[in-house]
Amino acid sequence: MKRVLVLPGDGIGPEIVAEAVKVIQCLRERHGLELVLEEALVGGAAYDATGQPLPAETLERARAADAVLLGAVGGRKWEGLDISVRPEKGLLGLREGLQLFANLRPAILYPQLADASSLRPEVVAGLDIMIVRELTGGIYFGQPRGVRTGADGRREGFNTLVYDETEIRRIGRVAFGIARARNGRLCSVDKANVLECTELWREVMTELAAEYPDVELSHMYVDNAAMQLVRSPKQFDVVVTTNLFGDILSDEAAMLTGSIGMLPSASLDADGKGMYEPIHGSAPDIAGQGVANPLATILSVAMMLRYSLGEEALARRIETAVGEVLDQGLRTPDIAAADSRVVGTREMGDAVVAALS
Ligand code: NAD
């Protein structure tokens, strides 16, 4: 039996995760999903209970599980802590400890929410992009790094952008696989005209393309990609890029949809085990008020079913149910328009469960 570890975390984390768990329970009771759910502490909640944002027991149980569902971590309460025990360290520790090198960030704009974007509806309506970001390498991890003071007393900050071909091939295979399962189009984003490291990136992606004749590979420089994303975002289907470029472009793409509370994400290891979480943070400004949008977390469950649990049909059921709820005009305050029926976190979760039933 598959096991899923649930980590509610901090702020709105427990509120939105509770709704996602309701959805999982509905699938278990009514749609034959077989799954064991466990729960553990992470982030500020774990720090308060144990003095560590990622207790060894949590990491061990995450390693033993088939997938991890995370709410969010962090909050003002823990901002003054030493960086080594801040809640966000819990998240980084999980990514590192589970070797989650592939970050999948869909940017989907449900047609019902086209007005939520700051771009014109005709530019973004129906947008459906998947950004595949390398998550455990590149300039965020390269050595040497630091700030040093030269003989003349001037301080110098430095980081290292480094990828070996194995790392590039590994993330490339994930992206080609996803492109193959979608529309067969993959755009690799780099800065090969300036950075040798991404010149190698481009070479390796091009070599890989020979293994995926059914996928059409294109290349784009990152500055152009940033521009094209706001000019004509629907030209993209699957995008693969480095850790740093992916960090920036995936946030840009998310913002095209205008609704941070709607977007899920997945981080996968080499065997398809993954951690699933909404892209937003713990939203301390609205925590405890019952108004947070749980749909990003519920859609993260759909990604979990698709990428780690081999349950594509159930994943689609959830996505369809979310579409139906939006069709009914139900909106949490973050996505509400003048004529919507504004509901709270729980009502939104209940509505998805009702649509699933
Ligand atoms: P945030 O994403 O938590 O919030 C940004 C804005 O979006 C806020 O106004 C918030 O109310 C709103 N928002 C976010 N999620 C929402 C939802 N589901 N429904 C409705 N509105 C929503 O970002 P922030 O304010 O910069 O960070 C708050 C805390 O979260 C910080 O401690 C930060 O470090 C942490 N954080 C955690 C993660 C994570 O756990 N993966 C990611 C980003 C930030």
Side-chain angles (χ1 to χ4, degrees):
M1 179 100 74
K2 302 268 183 180
R3 289 163 64 184
V4 170
L5 183 67
V6 177
L7 304 172
D10 310 316
I12 60 169
E15 300 168 46
I16 51 180
V17 162
E19 301 312 308
V21 167
K22 267 191 212 164
V23 167
I24 294 174
Q25 268 157 1
C26 170
L27 294 179
R28 285 205 299 201
E29 285 160 19
R30 293 170 184 260
H31 299 285
L33 177 65
E34 295 192 354
L35 195 69
V36 176
L37 281 182
E38 298 172 7
E39 196 174 309
L41 291 170
V42 75
Y47 175 81
D48 287 349
T50 69
Q52 289 300 327
L54 179 60
E57 191 204 331
T58 298
L59 181 57
E60 228 168 81
R61 291 172 68 189
R63 283 203 177 110
D66 295 285
V68 176
L69 179 66
L70 176 88
V73 298
R76 285 179 206 121
K77 182 177 172 193
W78 302 283
E79 271 168 14
L81 291 177
D82 184 76
I83 195 158
S84 63
V85 288
R86 284 213 201 123
E88 292 74 8
K89 271 278 167 193
L91 196 60
L92 297 177
L94 278 166
R95 285 182 187 159
E96 198 183 333
L98 300 177
Q99 296 183 16
L100 305 174
F101 68 91
N103 187 213
L104 276 46
R105 291 264 303 253
I108 297 172
L109 184 58
Y110 282 83
Q112 301 91 329
L113 300 178
D115 286 335
S117 175
S118 51
L119 297 190
R120 289 197 309 277
E122 68 268 26
V123 177
V124 285
L127 183 77
D128 183 354
I129 305 177
M130 174 69 86
I131 297 195
V132 181
R133 165 189 172 196
E134 201 290 326
L135 199 60
T136 53
I139 198 162
Y140 288 2
F141 293 91
Q143 295 288 347
R145 60 190 296 157
V147 178
R148 61 192 165 210
T149 306
D152 61 359
R154 253 193 306 183
R155 287 172 301 159
E156 179 183 59
F158 57 101
N159 289 87
T160 303
L161 171 60
V162 58
Y163 274 114
D164 71 36
E165 57 181 311
T166 323
E167 289 173 289
I168 303 171
R169 218 168 273 125
R170 184 170 74 160
I171 190 73
R173 288 216 160 90
V174 171
F176 273 101
I178 290 172
R180 172 175 271 174
R182 286 169 53 113
N183 298 313
R185 285 193 297 121
L186 175 64
C187 178
S188 170
V189 171
D190 60 40
K191 190 73 182 165
N193 49 343
V194 179
L195 301 171
E196 288 83 351
C197 178
T198 67
E199 208 182 329
L200 177 67
W201 178 281
R202 187 175 281 221
E203 260 177 54
V204 174
M205 289 294 167
T206 306
E207 287 161 18
L208 265 183
E211 291 176 30
Y212 299 85
D214 49 336
V215 175
E216 181 196 323
L217 173 70
S218 60
H219 304 275
M220 197 179 276
Y221 296 137
V222 64
D223 43 344
N224 188 24
M227 198 171 71
Q228 295 299 331
L229 266 177
V230 282
R231 195 184 73 89
S232 157
K234 284 191 263 183
Q235 69 184 280
F236 295 104
D237 188 41
V238 182
V239 172
V240 62
T241 191
T242 64
N243 201 342
L244 171 64
F245 297 161
D247 192 1
I248 299 165
L249 292 182
S250 60
D251 268 16
E252 186 190 357
M255 282 306 107
L256 296 178
T257 73
S259 41
I260 193 171
M262 293 292 302
L263 295 177
S265 78
S267 306
L268 306 179
D269 77 358
D271 305 316
K273 172 186 176 147
M275 182 159 83
Y276 298 84
E277 55 180 316
I279 67 157
H280 59 71
S282 58
D285 53 331
I286 56 167
Q289 298 174 19
V291 295
N293 187 344
L295 293 179
T297 317
I298 289 171
L299 291 166
S300 298
V301 173
M303 287 190 89
M304 178 172 88
L305 291 164
R306 172 170 297 129
Y307 292 108
S308 287
L309 304 179
E311 297 279 1
E312 174 65 29
L314 292 182
R316 284 189 191 199
R317 260 182 199 269
I318 294 182
E319 288 159 353
T320 306
V322 167
E324 279 174 27
V325 167
L326 295 176
D327 280 338
Q328 292 161 20
L330 267 61
R331 305 280 189 274
T332 43
D334 58 306
I335 51 171
D339 56 347
S340 13
R341 205 181 117 205
V342 178
V343 296
T345 311
R346 258 191 233 154
E347 269 176 283
M348 187 56 110
D350 289 342
V352 175
V353 168
L356 275 173
S357 310

